[in-house]
Amino acid sequence: MKNTTKPKKARSQSVDKTSKPRKAVRKRKTPLAFWSRKNLLLLVLEGLGLAISALLGSMLTLGSSANSFSGSSFFADLLPFAAGIALWVIIAAGLLVGWLKCRSWLWNKSHMLPAVFALSLSLGMIWFVSHDGYTQVFTHFRSLVGGKQQAARTTLAHQVYAAYRRYDQPQLQNMIQRAEIFDSDIQQAAKVFAVDVNLLHGIAAAESSFIPRTSHDGGQGLFQITAVPKFILQQATQALAIAKLDLANPRHNAFVAAATLKHYLAEMNDDLFLGLLAYNIGPRNGGLSFIMQQYGASDFVSMQPYLQTLPRDYPIRVLSYALAFKLWQQDGKLLAYQEGDNAIRIQRLGIPGMAALF
């Protein structure tokens, strides 16, 4: 009897000893190594999401503050603005502390949750600030950071929008339709000389309204080419792979215009308004560079008052026509600037050659 019962006890004890460790192993969680690829990827995504949210939140706050407290009064404007910035720093620090506490709880639930929540927050911020109602907020932020230069840029941009608004829409549409037969040549010229094709359209519209002719002042063809430096004519000749230029040929005319525009933009350090003004003035009176040195002007805004006998509105007209071509290419129609939300939409689209206000 004893021999038969003892083995049974031994079997039961051995079964009990082996069952306990198995249950303990199932409850353990393998920690995620810090230097593992998965953990580093999650950290990068989390950091990216938080950085985007912080940047957009700061821009939104500063832009709103700049709009609400714009002015030069110390107590009514400057002091409240500074107090608002200090308050935002405190709030941002509190949000960071709250995130760190929340992150521990999310990490314990799932290693992926912190990255998922951070990216979701950034996507929500992107959607929030990209709404049309917040375009002006970012315009105020750019004015705050850009200072005098951005203020001048915004003023000139609105001159372009105002010029576009004053155009007769049916006449403008007819001119755009006249331009279709020259479109291929203008696009090729823009591509060869790496200039904005809409700018070339705008120049042709301002110069000839897409009715090529020889003017009494010597202007020839589609772009009314007059006095052009010889090296620019050589560049156009080489690009066309021809022996001799014929300015009555719209294709030749467009290549010369594109080469001229590229030259004057480079001469004016890619300042769009000065480049277009230099294009129109050409080498007359020593060229725009000499005229600016003579009057001590450094930009288009400071140069405008001295242009009583010169085309002070030429860049505005060119860019307003270029804007019309850009709208036509984008939507297949011309939008009335003053109707509905068209003004904001056009500003978001931007003037050719210039960054959008948003």
Side-chain angles (χ1 to χ4, degrees), residues 1-14:
M1 294 293 291
K2 290 182 180 180
N3 293 332
T4 56
T5 55
K6 285 182 179 180
K8 290 182 179 179
K9 289 181 179 181
R11 291 194 191 102
S12 62
Q13 288 176 357
S14 62

Side-chain angles (χ1 to χ4, degrees), residues 39 68 219 253 258 267-268:
N39 187 57
S68 301
N253 207 281
E267 186 179 67
M268 293 294 119

Side-chain angles (χ1 to χ4, degrees), residues 13 23 39 53 89 158 169 174 186 200 225 257 316 349 352:
Q13 288 176 357
K23 292 181 179 179
N39 187 57
S53 301
V89 171
H158 281 289
Q169 296 291 318
N174 288 336
I186 292 175
L200 285 182
I225 302 298
I316 306 298
L349 180 63

Side-chain angles (χ1 to χ4, degrees), residues 42-60 88 92 95-96 99 103 114-126 129 138 141:
L42 292 174
L43 289 174
V44 169
L45 293 176
E46 180 184 349
L48 180 63
L50 293 177
I52 293 174
S53 301
L55 287 173
L56 292 179
S58 298
M59 293 171 66
L60 184 62
W88 168 244
L95 291 174
L96 180 60
W99 170 257
R103 185 184 186 281
V116 171
F117 271 75
L119 290 176
S120 300
L121 180 63
S122 65
L123 292 175
M125 286 294 295
I126 291 173
V129 301
F138 282 90
F141 174 76

Side-chain angles (χ1 to χ4, degrees), residues 37 43 46 49 60 75 107 109 111 132 148 187-188 191 205 215 258 263 265 272 280 283-285 288 295 305 339 345:
R37 291 184 179 180
L43 289 174
E46 180 184 349
L60 184 62
F75 290 101
W107 180 266
K109 293 291 183 182
H111 295 330
D132 285 346
K148 180 181 177 181
Q187 285 191 14
Q188 290 179 18
K191 183 177 180 180
S215 302
H263 165 70
L265 284 174
L272 183 59
N280 185 258
R284 296 193 305 268
N285 300 318
L288 181 59
Y295 294 115
E339 293 182 2
R345 183 178 178 185

